[in-house]
Amino acid sequence: MSSLPKQLRDESDFDQLPHDIPISATIADIEEKKGFIDYYVIRMVRTTRGGSKYLIYRRYSQFFNLHSDLELKHSPGDQGTSGPNTCRLPTLPGKVFIGNKKEIAENRIPELNTYMKRLLGLPTWVLLDDDIRMFFYQTESDSQHQPRALRRLRPPTRRVKTVKTNQTDVFSSPRAEVVFDFSGSGRLELSMKAGEVIFLLRRVNTDWLEGTVSNRTGIFPESFVKIIKPLPESDSDGESGGASGKGAGSYSCLRCYLLTPQGVDTRDVCVEEDISTQPSYKELLARMRDVFKVDGNIALNYRDPEGDLVRLLDDGDVALMVADGRGQRSKVKRPVNQFPWELHVTAASDLSVYNTEI
């Protein structure tokens, strides 16, 4: 109990709290995601009263929404009048609209750590709030989330026995030849030189392997080596399986068209979003500007079941487009990782001239 915040240790009702109540959360890293807009998610380690630790991933916007909901329910208000369900909430770092996204995310880490420490140090009845419990709950998406290679956060390795390098091992052990020099950035990473032979121990994730060379063991990116003899299927951690594996669906494809008097420019845009995702109108507009590099005002449209172009003007229209796409899924065959709806980009000043079948 010594690791708990003092204000919780002193509360006589703390022992009555459920074991799944979050009592601490610390940011481990940030991770870039390339969705309809590029953004960063915050990787956190959450500890419950029962001592369980989980990894959860949240965007800053989710912090902001949580804080707004808590203010409505528990803030004393403008008059500063206290009540049985009011308390002074910690200060959440404000939104930043201009600047480098990565720098903004990095700079928020200490402030958000302080915010969560103070939030989870409030009276015990606050910890029972449904909004707080759901925010720190590990979802199915959290449990399946895997850190990507060559990021600041590296996958963990393990201590292994030294691999013998006798004549039998040379021809029977899984191994790879180093193609490019690699300098590890931490004690868990294996530095290696071109031409060396690495004995493979396991697959860590889609992009990283663990291996040993010259009595040194560590992890390294697979793109730096040429596989001579691959690992058996059982020695893989499972992320890099075939098309049905967990890692196969990490990217989804959006078919989009730029309709101009000169013709149609067709693009398939890959995003790190599930096909069930409903992006906002602003996200789609910004992404299409970037994809087609068009000057001037553009309009977003989709084809209804009759084949006519329907213009999107707001999030409500996007919801209708997504619903129509899902309704047509059984009639239009698409790859499993392709969104069931498509975007048609036109000049904002025109629509009817492009209202023809693609």
Side-chain angles (χ1 to χ4, degrees), residues 241-274:
S244 61
K246 293 282 186 187
S250 59
Y251 281 87
S252 299
C253 179
L254 172 65
R255 176 67 57 85
C256 50
Y257 307 92
L258 175 64
L259 311 182
T260 69
Q262 290 75 37
V264 179
D265 184 0
T266 304
R267 302 285 181 90
D268 285 328
V269 179
C270 289
V271 296
E272 295 183 52
E273 304 276 8
D274 188 82

Side-chain angles (χ1 to χ4, degrees), residues 60-332:
Y60 170 78
S61 60
Q62 292 174 282
F63 276 93
F64 186 87
N65 292 337
L66 169 68
H67 189 76
S68 299
D69 291 339
L70 294 178
E71 282 188 322
L72 289 175
K73 292 191 292 185
H74 303 305
S75 179
D78 296 336
Q79 305 300 322
T81 304
S82 298
N85 294 319
T86 61
C87 63
R88 186 174 296 278
L89 298 171
T91 301
L92 179 73
K95 290 184 177 180
V96 179
F97 298 97
I98 300 176
N100 181 277
K101 291 182 179 180
K102 183 176 182 179
E103 291 180 358
I104 293 172
E106 291 277 6
N107 292 336
R108 279 192 181 127
I109 290 178
E111 295 176 303
L112 288 177
N113 273 330
T114 299
Y115 174 79
M116 290 189 293
K117 180 178 180 181
R118 292 176 177 174
L119 179 66
L120 297 177
L122 290 173
T124 51
W125 60 265
V126 181
L127 302 185
L128 293 171
D129 185 283
D130 288 341
D131 288 329
I132 291 180
R133 298 182 70 173
M134 292 305 298
F135 180 84
F136 290 102
Y137 178 77
Q138 188 188 44
T139 65
E140 182 179 357
S141 174
D142 291 330
S143 63
Q144 294 178 354
H145 197 112
Q146 294 290 338
R148 297 194 176 278
L150 300 179
R151 305 222 183 264
R152 181 159 57 94
L153 182 68
R154 296 302 193 231
T157 187
R158 63 183 178 186
R159 190 177 298 277
V160 296
K161 297 178 180 179
T162 302
V163 175
K164 296 179 181 180
T165 56
N166 55 35
Q167 190 68 20
T168 303
D169 286 327
V170 170
F171 293 102
S172 64
S173 298
R175 60 197 185 278
E177 180 183 353
V178 182
V179 180
F180 307 105
D181 292 351
F182 176 72
S183 297
S185 60
R187 64 181 181 83
L188 300 182
E189 296 179 8
L190 181 65
S191 296
M192 51 195 187
K193 298 289 186 180
E196 289 183 319
V197 174
I198 307 293
F199 289 90
L200 306 178
L201 301 174
R202 64 167 178 143
R203 175 172 292 281
V204 181
N205 62 18
T206 302
D207 305 303
W208 286 75
L209 298 167
E210 183 181 43
T212 185
V213 61
S214 302
N215 295 324
R216 294 178 289 108
T217 298
I219 61 174
F220 57 91
E222 184 178 5
S223 56
F224 281 66
V225 302
K226 178 178 68 176
I227 302 297
I228 300 174
K229 182 176 182 180
L231 285 161
E233 190 76 21
S234 60
D235 287 339
S236 172
D237 281 359
E239 183 190 355
S240 60
S244 61
K246 293 282 186 187
S250 59
Y251 281 87
S252 299
C253 179
L254 172 65
R255 176 67 57 85
C256 50
Y257 307 92
L258 175 64
L259 311 182
T260 69
Q262 290 75 37
V264 179
D265 184 0
T266 304
R267 302 285 181 90
D268 285 328
V269 179
C270 289
V271 296
E272 295 183 52
E273 304 276 8
D274 188 82
I275 61 171
S276 63
T277 298
Q278 180 178 306
S280 70
Y281 173 77
K282 289 184 177 180
E283 288 175 340
L284 289 177
L285 188 64
R287 190 58 191 263
M288 291 302 101
R289 288 185 183 280
D290 181 64
V291 167
F292 290 112
K293 308 297 182 187
V294 292
D295 296 325
N297 294 327
I298 61 173
L300 305 183
N301 316 272
Y302 74 98
R303 290 197 181 275
D304 64 13
E306 287 71 41
D308 294 326
L309 284 185
V310 178
R311 179 156 295 182
L312 304 176
L313 299 176
D314 53 32
D315 290 345
D317 292 337
V318 174
L320 291 175
M321 173 185 68
V322 173
D324 274 352
R326 291 171 180 167
Q328 295 295 311
R329 181 179 296 168
S330 60
K331 301 178 182 179
V332 181

